[in-house]
């Protein structure tokens, strides 16, 4: 009887070991998708920053097209991600985490695109240094996010480094909030043209929303990290 029990236990352990290997493979399989998404975000955020360095409308249009191209490519990557996700082996919790990260990364890219569009929509008379600063915070968040997704394939081994990058994104988001609030106060006190005032306010709001969306990614990664400690 004991012999049969040991035999069945050995078989069960082999099956569990196989499933663990397959599950790990399914997680790392998606790392290139996240990396591509992060690369598009970095490119789009760099173009957005360049938009805030000029008032040349021709240059705005060129850079906005570059951001849009990144957004379209990012959407294609998300479609590929979803088609592969539900064919992979893994628990519902793992799938949910992967899906949430991909969704938040895509939202960040969509908001960068929205920020670029807002410049062409409102055609502001000037770009204040505070707007450039907000775009630079977004670009820095994109750089940190690239580091995050590169480490997701092995969360436990990269626990400390992931925590550090999540902290970095949170710090940048808080700094962007401070910059946004300071700028809104400044324009309401100093801008006398009500139309231009609303243009500046709306552009700043889209940039601030974009910065917030980067933090959604890091917050969810923190949730996963917390689960690793339980």
């Amino acid at each position: 009887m004991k012999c049969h029990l040991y035999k069945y236990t050995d078989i069960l352990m082999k099956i569990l070991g196989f499933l663990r290997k397959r599950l790990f493979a399914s997680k790392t399989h998606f790392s290139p998708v996240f990396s591509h998404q992060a690369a598009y975000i970095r490119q789009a955020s760099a173009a957005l920053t360049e938009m805030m360095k000029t008032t040349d409308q021709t240059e705005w249009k060129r850079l906005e097209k570059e951001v849009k191209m990144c957004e379209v490519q990012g959407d294609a990557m998300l479609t590929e991600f979803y088609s592969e996700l539900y064919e992979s082996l893994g628990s519902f919790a793992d799938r949910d985490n992967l899906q949430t990260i991909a969704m938040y990364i895509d939202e960040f890219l969509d908001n960068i695109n929205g920020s670029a569009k807002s410049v062409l929509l409102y055609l502001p008379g000037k770009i204040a240094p505070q707007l450039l600063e907000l775009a630079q915070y977004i670009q820095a968040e994109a750089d940190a996010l690239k580091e995050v997704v590169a480490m997701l394939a092995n969360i436990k081994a990269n626990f400390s480094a992931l925590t550090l990058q999540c902290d970095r994104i949170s710090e940048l988001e808080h700094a962007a909030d401070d910059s946004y609030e300071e700028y809104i106060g400044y324009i309401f006190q100093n801008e006398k043209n009500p139309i231009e005032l609303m243009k500046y306010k709306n552009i700043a709001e889209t940039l601030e929303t974009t910065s917030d969306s980067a933090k959604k990614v890091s917050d969810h990664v923190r949730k996963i990290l917390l689960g690793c400690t339980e």
Side-chain angles (χ1 to χ4, degrees):
M1 183 69 178
K2 287 184 178 180
C3 181
H4 288 300
L5 181 60
Y6 289 145
K7 179 180 178 181
Y8 290 135
T9 300
D10 183 59
I11 293 173
L12 179 60
M13 292 302 294
K14 288 181 179 179
I15 292 174
L16 290 174
F18 171 76
L19 290 175
R20 278 196 296 269
K21 289 180 181 178
R22 288 291 303 276
L23 177 56
F24 179 76
S26 72
K27 289 179 180 178
T28 57
H29 176 66
F30 295 108
S31 294
V33 177
F34 291 149
S35 295
H36 279 108
Q37 281 186 306
Y40 289 131
I41 285 173
R42 289 190 74 198
Q43 182 180 351
S45 65
L48 178 63
T49 297
E50 291 303 310
M51 289 185 75
M52 298 301 163
K53 294 180 179 179
T54 182
T55 54
D56 184 335
Q57 293 187 19
T58 300
E59 189 68 358
W60 280 348
K61 290 177 182 178
R62 182 188 71 80
L63 290 165
E64 190 274 338
K65 285 182 180 179
E66 182 178 346
V67 175
K68 180 61 179 178
M69 181 275 293
C70 292
E71 192 266 340
V72 169
Q73 294 295 326
D75 283 347
M77 292 302 301
L78 188 64
T79 300
E80 178 183 341
F81 169 85
Y82 282 138
S83 65
E84 294 180 1
L85 178 62
Y86 293 101
E87 294 175 0
S88 67
L89 179 66
S91 70
F92 288 113
D94 292 318
R95 289 184 180 184
D96 183 62
N97 282 328
L98 290 169
Q99 180 176 332
T100 300
I101 290 172
M103 180 181 68
Y104 284 153
I105 292 175
D106 186 66
E107 181 182 334
F108 185 27
L109 183 53
D110 286 345
N111 285 332
I112 293 173
N113 183 49
S115 294
K117 280 184 177 180
S118 72
V119 177
L120 287 184
L121 176 63
Y122 296 114
L123 297 176
K126 61 183 178 182
I127 297 290
Q130 294 93 330
L131 294 179
L132 172 59
E133 187 175 53
L134 283 169
Q136 289 171 332
Y137 283 132
I138 291 167
Q139 187 174 359
E141 288 175 320
D143 289 338
L145 181 60
K146 178 180 179 295
E147 298 298 322
V148 168
V149 299
M151 295 184 284
L152 287 177
N154 196 339
I155 291 175
K156 289 186 177 180
N158 297 314
F159 186 93
S160 296
L162 279 166
T163 301
L164 185 64
Q165 290 302 326
C166 287
D167 288 344
R168 175 65 175 156
I169 292 174
S170 292
E171 290 169 1
L172 289 165
E173 189 269 338
H174 291 319
D177 282 347
D178 291 341
S179 183
Y180 165 75
E181 291 169 3
E182 179 182 340
Y183 177 62
I184 292 299
Y186 172 80
I187 58 175
F188 271 95
Q189 291 174 22
N190 296 279
E191 181 55 57
K192 306 305 179 184
N193 185 325
I195 295 177
E196 289 299 309
L197 171 64
M198 293 309 298
K199 288 181 180 182
Y200 302 147
K201 175 180 176 293
N202 290 344
I203 292 172
E205 284 179 348
T206 61
L207 290 167
E208 195 267 342
T209 297
T210 300
S211 175
D212 287 347
S213 62
K215 189 171 179 291
K216 287 184 179 181
V217 183
S218 65
D219 283 348
H220 195 76
V221 172
R222 283 184 190 279
K223 178 182 176 182
I224 297 172
L225 293 174
L226 183 61
C228 291
T229 63
E230 294 177 350

